[in-house]
Amino acid sequence: MKMKKVAALTLAAVMGLSLAACSGGDAGGTQAAGGAKAGAGAGDGQTGVDQVVINFFHRWPNDPKNSMFKELIDQYMKENPNVTINMDCILNDQYKEKIRMVVSTDEVPDIFSSWSGTFAQEMIASGNVTPLNEMFEADTEWSGKIAQASVDGFTFEGQIYGVPWSQDGKVFWYNKKIFADNNIQVPTTWNEFIAVLDTLKAAGYETPVVEGLSDNWAILHYLGTMNQRMVDPEVLAKDYDAATGEFTDPAYVEVLKKWQQLTTYMGDTCVAIDHEAARNNYFATGQAPIMYLQLAEIPHVEKVIPEDFEYGFFNFPAFEEGKGDVNALTGAPEGFMISNKAKYPEECQKFLKWLVSKNGGEALTTQCGDISSVDGAVDETNALPSQLEAMDLIKSASTLAPWFDNACDASVYTVYGQGAQAIATGDETPESVMKQVQEAAASLH
């Protein structure tokens, strides 16, 4: 009990420090997103009803998302004057640390953001997350508009534990003019893809496909997709489980050999630059005709490309000898969970249904560029054509395969990513890297 109390106090201190950035709090006390004092007692004298206070914790302290949340919460509280929403937020890695620390305590926030996949399972394992099946079943007019593939990312053993808010996918982007000028068709298989890269190289493009390999996560996005395409799904599921993972299937070595092959087309500078530099300085300028990018990067690309730059998308090609689902799309939804310790669970559900709707979905996509999980939230009147195409790609996918760093233990994917980086520099072989991965997996059980 003492350790739990210390953890809660530590989180409270950190959240108090971050609150000013998220919610405009002052030294006089915690404030709601719109600046109204939180913690009003029952029967506030104005509404004649009990004052509901909801603690809302997320991972987006930077604009435009932070301002968007403030505006949405202000609007909700005006429409529901008996509700005060205390919003707090910490950036990404800090958020992961803090929510992991607090989710098993009595200080767990009423509503908090979560990734899908293994991160969601970790939250659920705390025993403090509310199943939401009844919420989805009771209002099918609302829940029927949420992309099923995104709901699946928060569904475990038949129980839904999260409300998907945004969704994303990873595909190859290509320069349409360069493809047309060289009579190149979009590839659907790995051998066709390599033939495209050879054609582009012969046409004078020293870097037919670019990536910033100094970013480990960018490498992991490749490896996760390539494993999904190549490895038997049952083997993959067993190996991604920390309790049973072995990574001894020869298909993993074949994946790293194909990774080694692919990096020879990425140019000499790929190991020295990061993902953003590769995107802005190579793909957006036309020096590299192809890049593996997230659909959520559309607004970033639109800011830096020339007006006449046209890009298209294609999913990761199938491996001819692969055993995975070729129609899967690497990506994942993010969403919100409700604590089963929330004092006002029905009000929490009401707020999330309002937030994850056409109103909130339109704000997410038009103001922030993320792809909303709500069908019909955006259309040709308020979104870019490429964003609508991105939504169609996600909707048409057979399933959303999780990001590699959401699919397995950190001690495994860290070794994997570092090893793949060393393969690109010629310092490791596929066989030597897989031996290290196998050792890391064995250490977990």
Side-chain angles (χ1 to χ4, degrees), residues 3-4 6-19 22 57-59 61 88-109 111-115 119 122-123 126 128:
M3 289 300 293
K4 183 182 288 188
V6 169
L9 288 173
T10 301
L11 180 77
V14 173
M15 291 177 75
L17 287 173
S18 67
L19 191 63
C22 287
F57 187 32
H58 65 76
R59 70 170 190 89
D88 195 10
C89 46
I90 303 175
L91 190 63
N92 212 346
D93 290 342
Q94 289 178 309
Y95 179 83
K96 289 180 180 178
E97 179 184 345
K98 301 311 171 188
I99 196 62
R100 280 172 170 150
M101 182 170 62
V102 78
V103 71
S104 298
T105 75
D106 293 338
E107 304 300 320
V108 57
I111 300 173
F112 57 94
S113 60
S114 175
W115 291 268
F119 188 90
E122 187 178 347
M123 299 296 101
S126 71
N128 283 350

Side-chain angles (χ1 to χ4, degrees), residues 183-206:
N183 298 313
I184 296 173
Q185 300 298 314
V186 168
T188 59
T189 68
W190 181 258
N191 288 339
E192 290 176 0
F193 184 42
I194 295 301
V196 166
L197 299 180
D198 285 334
T199 298
L200 290 169
K201 203 155 190 177
Y205 294 96
E206 296 181 4

Side-chain angles (χ1 to χ4, degrees), residues 182-430:
N182 292 276
N183 298 313
I184 296 173
Q185 300 298 314
V186 168
T188 59
T189 68
W190 181 258
N191 288 339
E192 290 176 0
F193 184 42
I194 295 301
V196 166
L197 299 180
D198 285 334
T199 298
L200 290 169
K201 203 155 190 177
Y205 294 96
E206 296 181 4
T207 308
V209 57
V210 69
E211 185 52 83
L213 300 184
S214 68
D215 280 331
N216 204 44
W217 63 265
I219 297 172
L220 292 173
H221 283 188
Y222 265 104
L223 297 180
T225 304
M226 295 172 79
N227 281 347
Q228 181 275 320
R229 290 288 194 265
M230 179 68 79
V231 183
D232 182 285
E234 291 186 5
V235 173
L236 199 67
K238 176 184 72 68
D239 288 332
Y240 281 7
D241 187 332
T244 57
E246 295 179 340
F247 293 90
T248 55
D249 193 300
Y252 291 112
V253 173
E254 291 305 309
V255 165
L256 289 182
K257 287 181 178 179
K258 292 184 184 300
W259 165 252
Q260 187 175 42
Q261 177 186 23
L262 185 60
T263 59
T264 64
Y265 293 93
M266 291 183 176
D268 295 335
T269 61
C270 66
V271 295
I273 59 175
D274 63 15
H275 179 82
E276 184 176 350
R279 182 189 69 208
N280 294 352
N281 300 334
Y282 285 84
F283 178 72
T285 61
Q287 293 186 59
I290 303 172
M291 188 170 180
Y292 198 41
L293 293 164
Q294 291 171 231
L295 296 170
E297 292 181 80
I298 289 172
H300 301 289
V301 173
E302 289 286 340
K303 288 179 181 178
V304 295
I305 58 173
E307 285 188 12
D308 59 348
F309 190 111
E310 289 190 57
Y311 55 84
F313 308 128
F314 62 89
N315 203 349
F316 203 101
F319 292 131
E320 285 81 358
E321 69 275 38
K323 297 180 179 179
D325 182 357
V326 299
N327 295 313
L329 180 69
T330 293
E334 289 191 51
F336 301 105
M337 292 180 165
I338 299 177
S339 164
N340 58 19
K341 296 186 182 298
K343 187 176 180 180
Y344 304 100
E346 292 183 3
E347 289 288 347
C348 289
Q349 291 186 20
K350 180 182 175 183
F351 169 63
L352 279 189
K353 286 169 65 175
W354 181 90
L355 181 66
V356 185
S357 64
K358 179 175 175 56
N359 183 51
E362 181 179 344
L364 176 67
T365 300
T366 60
Q367 295 182 34
C368 306
D370 287 27
I371 307 301
S372 170
S373 64
V374 180
D375 187 29
V378 294
D379 55 31
E380 63 276 2
T381 67
N382 57 16
L384 296 168
S386 54
Q387 290 176 320
L388 299 177
E389 184 180 352
M391 293 190 78
D392 288 340
L393 279 172
I394 295 172
K395 190 185 301 184
S396 64
S398 58
T399 186
L400 290 179
W403 309 116
F404 198 10
D405 53 357
N406 276 356
C408 65
D409 191 271
S411 59
V412 171
Y413 69 68
T414 300
V415 172
Y416 229 124
Q418 292 172 345
Q421 189 178 49
I423 288 174
T425 60
D427 296 318
E428 295 281 359
T429 66

Side-chain angles (χ1 to χ4, degrees), residues 116-196:
S116 52
T118 54
F119 188 90
Q121 289 179 298
E122 187 178 347
M123 299 296 101
I124 296 163
S126 71
N128 283 350
V129 179
T130 298
L132 302 175
N133 291 56
E134 291 184 7
M135 175 183 176
F136 277 74
E137 293 166 2
D139 189 354
T140 55
E141 184 178 351
W142 164 75
S143 62
K145 294 178 181 176
I146 300 177
Q148 186 57 49
S150 296
V151 176
D152 291 344
F154 287 98
T155 304
F156 304 92
E157 298 182 358
Q159 295 293 310
I160 303 170
Y161 287 95
V163 177
W165 160 248
S166 65
Q167 52 190 355
D168 198 3
K170 191 97 173 189
V171 294
F172 281 109
W173 298 34
Y174 69 97
N175 187 309
K176 285 188 173 183
K177 184 178 186 305
I178 293 175
F179 267 49
D181 288 348
N182 292 276
N183 298 313
I184 296 173
Q185 300 298 314
V186 168
T188 59
T189 68
W190 181 258
N191 288 339
E192 290 176 0
F193 184 42
I194 295 301
V196 166

